[in-house]
Amino acid sequence: MVKKDILLNGIIVGKHDATGDNIEDAKAIDVMLKEKGLYQEVTTNDAMFNQANSFASVANDLYQRDLKKSPFKGISVSPFIVNAVFSIELYLKVIHNAYGNKIKGHHLVSIYKGMPKKGKEHFINSANDVRPHYQLHDGTDIHQCLESLNKSFEQWRYLYEHNELETELQSIRYTMHTSHEACCRVRESAKKT
């Protein structure tokens, strides 16, 4: 067996004998964390937020590596958009979940429109706060960005079925950043209540 470090928030908190069976290893690690008083239950909202962050991280990595600089690698546009837009969808659903709502579907505008008023306030305030970080066309607002991305998750996954899809990378990054920030604000607000 191989001894492996157990990390919690990037800090080594112990070691375990890796068996090669990920499920069994995870159970053993949970036991060890509980014995040390370090185990924390992951809520559905936490799991959703973590997954949204994962898709956003992949999108950001693709953007930084292949789309931000020359040579521009067009082959990375579709996976960037799919991952970015899916992260936006999940962030919006995390906001709903924080208010006790369960929502399905991929259309961003519908998900946004059904959001509780307080969630929308956090979203709009976040959009205003992060907008200066992006070079957007004059008059472009977060609602226009959501509208332009409304069906992107479905369409860009099957790019070969669509002849002329257009998009603006900065508006996607702006919407992803806004969604993440709004999500963080809603989750922080929920902790206070």
Side-chain angles (χ1 to χ4, degrees):
M1 282 192 210
V2 176
K3 283 271 192 203
K4 289 198 173 184
D5 293 334
I6 299 172
L7 297 171
L8 183 64
N9 299 325
I11 299 169
I12 298 173
V13 296
K15 293 190 178 291
H16 78 100
D17 293 322
T19 65
D21 181 335
N22 292 336
I23 294 172
E24 289 304 315
D25 288 350
K27 288 177 185 177
I29 291 169
D30 284 351
V31 168
M32 191 278 304
L33 291 173
K34 287 175 183 174
E35 289 171 353
K36 290 186 172 205
L38 299 173
Y39 181 82
Q40 293 182 346
E41 192 68 38
V42 176
T43 67
T44 299
N45 196 270
D46 292 336
M48 292 171 70
F49 182 69
N50 292 339
Q51 189 171 10
N53 284 335
S54 296
F55 283 102
S57 177
V58 168
N60 190 51
D61 289 348
L62 285 166
Y63 177 79
Q64 295 298 328
R65 187 188 71 215
D66 296 345
L67 306 175
K68 182 179 179 179
K69 56 190 178 213
S70 188
F72 182 88
K73 295 182 182 166
I75 196 165
S76 294
V77 172
S78 182
F80 162 75
I81 293 171
V82 169
N83 281 283
V85 173
F86 193 46
S87 76
I88 294 165
E89 175 188 324
L90 290 173
Y91 285 132
L92 295 177
K93 289 177 177 179
V94 171
I95 293 170
H96 275 278
N97 180 269
Y99 293 106
N101 300 334
K102 291 183 180 180
I103 191 156
K104 297 203 179 278
H106 298 297
H107 293 193
L108 301 180
V109 173
S110 297
I111 297 169
Y112 173 78
K113 283 183 178 178
M115 189 181 294
K117 182 180 177 185
K118 193 68 178 162
K120 285 182 183 176
E121 288 173 11
H122 284 294
F123 193 80
I124 296 302
N125 290 335
S126 296
N128 292 334
D129 290 344
V130 304
R131 193 179 197 292
H133 299 284
Y134 298 92
Q135 296 176 351
L136 302 169
H137 300 291
D138 287 339
T140 300
D141 69 15
I142 194 65
H143 296 99
Q144 291 168 320
C145 292
L146 284 172
E147 184 67 42
S148 72
L149 299 172
N150 196 40
K151 295 182 179 179
S152 292
F153 179 71
E154 294 165 325
Q155 292 173 333
W156 282 87
R157 285 184 301 168
Y158 305 106
L159 181 60
Y160 55 85
E161 293 179 356
H162 304 277
N163 292 332
E164 296 182 21
L165 289 178
E166 293 182 20
T167 194
E168 169 56 46
L169 299 183
Q170 288 303 306
S171 66
I172 295 172
R173 294 183 65 242
Y174 164 59
T175 308
M176 186 169 62
H177 189 169
T178 295
S179 301
H180 176 268
E181 182 63 29
C183 199
C184 290
R185 292 177 184 189
V186 166
R187 286 166 48 83
E188 188 61 35
S189 174
K191 288 180 186 175
K192 295 177 182 174
T193 58

